[in-house]
Amino acid sequence: MNQRIDSLDKYYKKINSFSKFSNVFFILNVFISIVIVGIDNKMQYKEVLDYIFIATILIYFVTDNYLTIFMMAEVEEKRRKNLLSNSFNVPLDNERTINYYNNDVEPSIVKLGVNVFENSLFGMRVTHKMVVSVRWKIGAFILLFLILLVMRETKLEFISIVTQVLFASALLPSYIRLEKLYYKNRSTFAELYNLFLHNNKNEMADNPRIIASLLDYFVKYEASKAYSGVRQDSEIFIKLNKEVSAEWEEIKIQLEI
């Protein structure tokens, strides 16, 4: 197998590291919340914990939003330019990828469609792996929340903490956005599969309706990523790369791409 080179990897590694750093403050915030509820209000260090609690909330808010609004948006813009550069053989920036997109289609609007088709396959597989893991975590929090509700001796403060983690934090909204991104990737993949199944790729570039459809799929795919703000796990991508690459090769043979 030819070596895969992707100069954008360095940006995703920074995002992964920054995300882990941000998550530390989220976990710390939950832990301090539980400690504060469990200690006597008259204890001397309770006030110190209150200040630490406030600090962790602010740090997590700033780091999480900086990650989503700035870092992820910037790298996704670079990835979008790279997709267009590969599709039309035009260097829109100085980033370099080799064997990131795997097809022999000549630079054209059809190649853009094939690249989006491949991206949707990888996106579907990666987000599915991610969403299964998150479903278990959300399910565990909901189960804990229900148990605390039915237990009479449970302090109201503990219920409020679980409620805050589940509903007031980014946990549940992030999960919902991940589910939607997985659905969008799956939908885009299925629709493009159907398009290439019923059309010869050598004749697609001369059909205005197909050209419009391919552009529509490109916009939908990029819009769904931008809207979700979901960071697709690069570690999962690396683990699945060999398996999904083999699946992509089979699809190309079946559809004669």
Side-chain angles (χ1 to χ4, degrees), residues 21-256:
F21 173 75
S22 178
N23 288 336
V24 167
F25 289 97
F26 174 75
I27 295 170
L28 190 60
N29 177 251
V30 175
F31 175 75
I32 294 174
S33 299
I34 296 172
V35 172
I36 289 174
V37 171
I39 65 175
D40 193 328
N41 289 333
K42 296 180 179 180
M43 289 188 174
Q44 295 180 349
Y45 52 80
K46 185 179 183 300
E47 185 176 350
V48 175
L49 286 175
D50 287 334
Y51 283 118
I52 295 174
F53 175 71
I54 294 170
T56 56
I57 290 178
L58 293 175
I59 294 173
Y60 175 72
F61 173 80
V62 171
T63 55
D64 185 63
N65 281 278
Y66 178 74
L67 175 68
T68 303
I69 297 172
F70 294 101
M71 294 183 71
M72 287 181 57
E74 182 180 357
V75 75
E76 286 301 330
E77 183 178 352
K78 290 180 181 292
R79 178 63 75 197
R80 184 163 51 253
K81 284 185 178 181
N82 184 255
L83 169 60
L84 292 171
S85 295
N86 180 271
S87 300
F88 297 101
N89 195 26
V90 177
L92 295 178
D93 58 20
N94 63 341
E95 301 296 342
R96 179 168 170 257
T97 58
I98 298 177
N99 294 321
Y100 185 85
Y101 299 102
N102 299 280
N103 64 79
D104 298 323
V105 180
E106 291 296 319
S108 61
I109 189 69
V110 178
K111 187 175 181 67
L112 175 63
V114 175
N115 285 342
V116 172
F117 188 21
E118 182 180 3
N119 280 350
S120 66
L121 171 64
F122 276 86
M124 177 177 64
R125 297 294 180 230
V126 171
T127 51
H128 177 257
K129 198 78 173 177
M130 292 172 62
V131 83
V132 169
S133 174
V134 177
R135 282 171 187 166
W136 282 103
K137 294 176 183 177
I138 293 294
F141 269 109
I142 292 175
L143 181 61
L144 176 61
F145 177 70
L146 294 175
I147 291 173
L148 291 175
L149 282 179
V150 298
M151 293 176 61
R152 293 183 178 179
E153 62 272 18
T154 303
K155 287 186 176 181
L156 184 60
E157 290 87 349
F158 282 115
I159 296 177
S160 67
I161 291 171
V162 177
T163 304
Q164 175 189 340
V165 171
L166 192 58
F167 298 102
S169 73
L171 190 62
L172 193 58
S174 295
Y175 164 68
I176 294 172
R177 291 196 301 270
L178 177 58
E179 283 280 9
K180 186 169 184 179
L181 180 59
Y182 166 61
Y183 169 79
K184 288 289 186 180
N185 283 332
R186 188 177 64 181
S187 174
T188 300
F189 171 78
E191 290 173 10
L192 280 169
Y193 188 99
N194 189 59
L195 184 70
F196 284 103
L197 176 65
H198 294 97
N199 294 277
N200 187 315
K201 70 177 178 65
N202 296 320
E203 301 173 357
M204 294 172 74
D206 299 322
N207 189 323
R209 292 189 177 184
I210 291 179
I211 292 174
S213 295
L214 291 174
L215 287 172
D216 184 44
Y217 290 129
F218 164 69
V219 172
K220 283 181 179 177
Y221 173 76
E222 292 297 332
S224 63
K225 288 198 302 177
Y227 169 78
S228 69
V230 171
R231 177 185 60 85
Q232 298 190 46
D233 197 316
S234 57
E235 293 179 2
I236 293 178
F237 173 83
I238 293 171
K239 289 179 182 178
L240 295 179
N241 185 43
K242 185 176 180 180
E243 175 188 339
V244 183
S245 294
E247 182 181 0
W248 173 242
E249 292 299 321
E250 291 180 6
I251 290 172
K252 287 196 298 180
I253 294 172
Q254 291 171 356
L255 301 181
E256 299 179 353

